[in-house]
Amino acid sequence: MTDTAQADEKAKIHEGKEADHHPYFRPKDAATLILVDRSGATPKVLVGKRHDKVVFMPGKFVFPGGRVDKDDYRVPVAAPVTAELEANLAKGSPKTPASRAKSLTIAAIREACEETGLCLGRRAEVKAKLEGAWKPFADAGLLPDPSSLFLIARAITPPGRVKRFDTRFFTADASAITHRVEGVIHADAELVELVWVELGSKPLADLHPMTRNVLNELDTRLATGPLRHDAPVPFFHFYGGKMQKDILS
């Protein structure tokens, strides 16, 4: 790579962008959780502000999320993934098996707890040995509870990027939060602030374009009443150099 090309790539990184000329990388499974507070007249969603000194998207508002870890397949749960959610996650080609579907929901819950300190869990009848990222659940006598999650959308990062993710965007009502870990949000953390913001408000206008697409889908569904598993689930992906929006079936 020439000095000029290297400089261009570094500039893209500082702008929160990735170079788009890399060889094909298979996307990794990832999950994002959008928590919604519907107690007021206008629904609010929880966003976190990233530290100004991080390389990717400094100072931007984001939703908690990340890639699926191998341990997410093995973590015991307080309640199973609902049959309707499992069916939605299985849609598309190739079909997503039940174990993979569960790991996606668990990853969403884990990332939310790690990044925001807000945990979606339920009291466990039998104490489980949970370590690492799951220790806050064990300390509170909880197991993760994916039964309150709804699938809003699926999106795959375009080819040619350094990092590619096959992301499932979940949502859950704020009432599903059963435990708060203190000290997760602070001046030196990845997220320095948590804010509940109304859908359509200014902080959300600066989100990643794909995330805004997903929020539009969420807004549309919330406008029709309580969330349902039988609503259409959009699938955003790139084909022929253009973004396509299909409905998972």
Side-chain angles (χ1 to χ4, degrees), residues 114-167:
E114 283 183 314
E115 296 182 9
T116 70
L118 303 178
C119 307
L120 278 64
R122 192 184 297 181
R123 291 288 174 185
E125 294 182 5
V126 179
K127 190 173 182 179
K129 185 178 181 181
L130 300 176
E131 300 176 340
W134 296 103
K135 191 174 185 301
F137 284 82
D139 291 344
L142 303 174
L143 288 177
D145 180 9
S147 64
S148 62
L149 270 58
F150 291 81
L151 181 65
I152 297 300
R154 177 181 179 181
I156 297 182
T157 309
R161 303 295 175 88
V162 178
K163 294 182 179 180
R164 299 189 68 215
F165 297 103
D166 185 350
T167 305

Side-chain angles (χ1 to χ4, degrees), residues 47-65:
V47 292
K49 187 177 182 181
R50 288 175 62 81
H51 197 289
D52 288 335
K53 294 182 180 180
V54 297
V55 173
F56 186 65
M57 298 179 68
K60 301 291 186 181
F61 284 101
V62 298
F63 293 104

Side-chain angles (χ1 to χ4, degrees), residues 9 48 52 80 89 93 95 99 113 126 132 135 139 186 212 217 224 241:
E9 185 161 346
D52 288 335
L89 287 166
S93 181
K95 299 296 183 183
S99 60
C113 188
V126 179
K135 191 174 185 301
D139 291 344
H186 55 82
R212 291 203 304 270
E217 298 292 335
T224 65

Side-chain angles (χ1 to χ4, degrees), residues 237-249:
H237 63 108
F238 281 74
Y239 181 79
K242 297 181 179 180
M243 190 191 74
Q244 306 290 327
K245 175 186 172 182
D246 298 327
I247 299 300
L248 289 175
S249 60

Side-chain angles (χ1 to χ4, degrees), residues 29-76:
D29 275 337
T32 293
L33 181 59
I34 303 174
L35 291 167
V36 182
D37 180 358
R38 301 188 69 182
S39 60
T42 302
K44 295 180 179 180
V45 293
L46 183 69
V47 292
K49 187 177 182 181
R50 288 175 62 81
H51 197 289
D52 288 335
K53 294 182 180 180
V54 297
V55 173
F56 186 65
M57 298 179 68
K60 301 291 186 181
F61 284 101
V62 298
F63 293 104
R67 62 178 294 177
V68 174
D69 287 347
K70 61 181 180 180
D71 290 340
D72 293 334
Y73 285 84
R74 299 190 290 266
V75 173

